[in-house]
Amino acid sequence: MIELGDLGSWREYADATRAGGRVVGLVPTMGALHEGHVSLVRAARERGDVVLLTIFVNPRQFNDAADLAHYPRDLERDREIAERAGVDALVVPTLEEMWPGYPHPVATTVHVAGLGDIFEGVGRPGHFDGVASVVAKLCHVTGPSRAYFGEKDFQQVAVIRQMVSDLAMPVDVVACALVRDADGLALSSRNVRLSPSGRERALSMSRVLAEVSRGAWRVNEARERLRGALRDAGCEVAYADVVEPSTLRGADERDEGEARALLAITVDGVRLIDNGPITLRGGH
Ligand code: AMP
């Protein structure tokens, strides 16, 4: 694995890789790597890509200063995990290179209206502006044929697909399945901030998602079950909803077939999200 120090050598490496006839696969992350990130690297390797993994804790996607300040960082450990996972090139861009002059406002923002304004966009205003802007920049420097994202951030995948389509960006967005810990909790860099009792409460998300993934539900019954289970566990619920999987439009009583349950809670002051498939049976 090589580590590319600055934007110039990063771009050169990607250009040379493409010129050599190889496909560059981009895996954008914020570090504190875990099996979820490794699964994206694995997916890229399975396709034969030269895997370029970026680690950048992007301040523009944090609307909460405390969340940014507490975001876990461990570059030494990340290097080892990336190397073992088979990353070809590790890029750790500096804040100054990504957003010169930050915290002065950056003039250019990519805003994905609609998809970026709902769910996480409500509770975390500006979050998806930061995400779309950074992913656009990472793609412009790297020129990947494929970019890998986890379904853990289900809305993020939809926002990025919309951006890529609207701006005709020449990149395939590959969505990879959500990876869970042995107890069911969706892997997240933020999980290290949970107390044992907080973790127990947070597990109500994966438990109720497993429950609603079985059988076929009327949408309102499913919504009630999701919200009730989280509240009963003592979670502060940001949202618990059932949506059409690509547009994220709220499902209604006529919808049948495959839908997605989206959940967000706050536990121990940590915002956590999870999601899973659900089958709707429609009717009244
Ligand atoms: P992050 O470092 O949290 O910004 O995540 C970087 C990428 O890894 C995003 O595309 C995430 O969706 C993905 N990711 C994070 N956690 C998981 C997980 N538990 N399962 C699958 N992908 C994940």
Side-chain angles (χ1 to χ4, degrees), residues 27-37 39-40 61 71 148-154 156-157 176-180 185-190:
V27 179
T29 81
M30 298 204 297
L33 300 180
H34 51 63
E35 271 304 308
H37 301 110
S39 75
L40 306 183
Q61 70 188 70
Y71 202 81
Y148 296 82
F149 298 91
E151 286 190 338
K152 155 81 180 5
D153 298 276
F154 199 80
Q156 174 169 278
V157 174
C176 302
L178 192 161
V179 180
R180 298 184 179 283
L185 191 66
L187 286 177
S188 163
S189 305
R190 290 186 177 87

Side-chain angles (χ1 to χ4, degrees), residues 134-206:
V134 80
V135 171
K137 183 155 182 174
L138 296 173
C139 285
H140 283 122
V141 179
T142 310
S145 296
R146 289 185 273 263
Y148 296 82
F149 298 91
E151 286 190 338
K152 155 81 180 5
D153 298 276
F154 199 80
Q155 185 179 4
Q156 174 169 278
V157 174
V159 166
I160 288 166
R161 282 195 196 286
Q162 184 75 52
M163 171 183 77
V164 162
S165 162
D166 287 349
L167 301 182
M169 292 169 63
V171 55
D172 249 355
V173 174
V174 182
C176 302
L178 192 161
V179 180
R180 298 184 179 283
D181 228 335
D183 60 4
L185 191 66
L187 286 177
S188 163
S189 305
R190 290 186 177 87
N191 290 349
V192 295
R193 292 171 53 199
L194 296 174
S195 65
S197 74
R199 187 176 177 104
E200 186 53 34
R201 266 173 287 147
L203 280 168
S204 59
M205 288 202 293
S206 52

Side-chain angles (χ1 to χ4, degrees), residues 75 263 268:
L75 193 53
L263 310 178
D268 292 342

Side-chain angles (χ1 to χ4, degrees), residues 55-66:
I55 296 179
F56 179 59
V57 182
N58 173 29
R60 292 183 69 189
Q61 70 188 70
F62 286 79
N63 63 307
D64 175 356

